[in-house]
Amino acid sequence: KDVPTAPAPLEALRFVRSNDGGHSWLPPASVTHDAVFGAHNFHALYVAHDGTIYVSWLGGEQKPSAAWIAHSSDSGRTWSPAVRVDSGAACDCCRTALASAPDGSMYIAWRHLFPGNIRDVVVARSGDHGNTWSSPVRVHADNWEYPGCPRAGPALAVDSAGHVHVAWWTGRSGGSGVWYARSDDGARTFNAPVALGVAYASRAAHAQIALGASGVIAVAWDDGRTSQPRILIRIS
């Protein structure tokens, strides 16, 4: 939606569902309940173990942006009021990520904007369907200072044992590239990160995580370390 007084088009988030494999679609429902359109973008869609549907996004009518979330308990027909996950600021253009644990805990990851233009990835946890959230925990203190947004958000997954897995790209000096870290205590702390693809001149990459049986973890990303980008994957 174009608004003459706004610096950019304003958006809303809609949800649609198909009950016949995509041959037809039900009428769309509004996820964001704003009376007027606002900034709602870089969203993630996730269906938890109990069937609850979650949508997270970056938004805010004024700068800086922030991480928000809403959920639906009736297959997307209606949506809860939006909840601001954290009172701090988010990197404007890095997508959010969602995952849930077998015990029903929800997790959200995004690139947080710390004082001094530090843009590091954080994770927050909710035990009540996203109504309240823990304070975000930095996955690793990359301390990456950058006066802009790389448009490269984190990837997030939780395995059957409740371990929280995160992969992300950072542009920090001496460690630019894709990294991985794990938390064994509900995202309260994270272990030392593992470098998956690091180079002096690494361009922004978009990591994805998949979990397999017997502890298998796969991380794939668009490798920005060479002049011709490639799709790479590493498996643990």
Side-chain angles (χ1 to χ4, degrees):
K1 179 178 180 179
D2 291 320
V3 177
T5 58
L10 302 180
E11 310 94 7
L13 290 180
R14 309 289 193 218
F15 173 87
V16 293
R17 185 180 84 252
S18 172
N19 294 330
D20 56 10
H23 295 287
S24 63
W25 295 86
L26 299 177
S30 177
V31 177
T32 51
H33 295 283
D34 306 63
V36 296
F37 281 36
H40 310 102
N41 42 44
F42 298 95
H43 54 281
L45 172 68
Y46 182 82
V47 181
H49 299 276
D50 63 359
T52 302
I53 304 171
Y54 294 86
V55 173
S56 61
W57 66 91
L58 299 181
E61 295 182 0
Q62 298 177 347
K63 298 291 184 179
S65 187
W68 295 78
I69 193 167
H71 70 271
S72 172
S73 300
D74 57 6
S75 300
R77 296 178 182 85
T78 61
W79 290 84
S80 69
V83 173
R84 183 168 177 167
V85 176
D86 172 53
S87 60
C91 191
D92 293 337
C93 305
C94 289
R95 60 178 169 78
T96 56
L98 295 169
S100 67
D103 67 359
S105 299
M106 276 299 304
Y107 294 89
I108 179 174
W110 72 97
R111 192 182 297 277
H112 193 81
L113 178 58
F114 293 91
N117 263 330
I118 301 297
R119 297 171 188 265
D120 287 352
V121 171
V122 298
V123 176
R125 176 186 177 277
S126 173
D128 58 4
H129 295 283
N131 293 305
T132 60
W133 292 86
S134 66
S135 297
V137 172
R138 198 182 311 203
V139 177
H140 181 254
D142 292 332
N143 290 317
W144 179 39
E145 182 181 351
Y146 184 64
C149 188
R151 294 179 180 265
L156 179 67
V158 182
D159 62 30
S160 59
H163 303 303
V164 180
H165 306 267
V166 184
W168 74 99
W169 182 88
T170 180
R172 71 179 177 90
S173 176
S176 178
V178 176
W179 294 77
Y180 161 86
R182 189 186 78 204
S183 172
D184 299 330
D185 59 4
R188 296 173 180 85
T189 61
F190 284 84
N191 60 10
V194 177
L196 299 183
V198 174
Y200 174 76
S202 172
R203 295 186 302 277
H206 307 83
Q208 300 287 342
I209 293 180
L211 303 179
S214 302
V216 172
I217 306 166
V219 177
W221 69 96
D222 48 332
D223 181 40
R225 298 176 299 165
T226 59
S227 58
Q228 181 62 45
R230 306 166 294 170
I231 302 301
L232 299 185
I233 185 170
R234 292 192 67 178
I235 296 175
S236 172

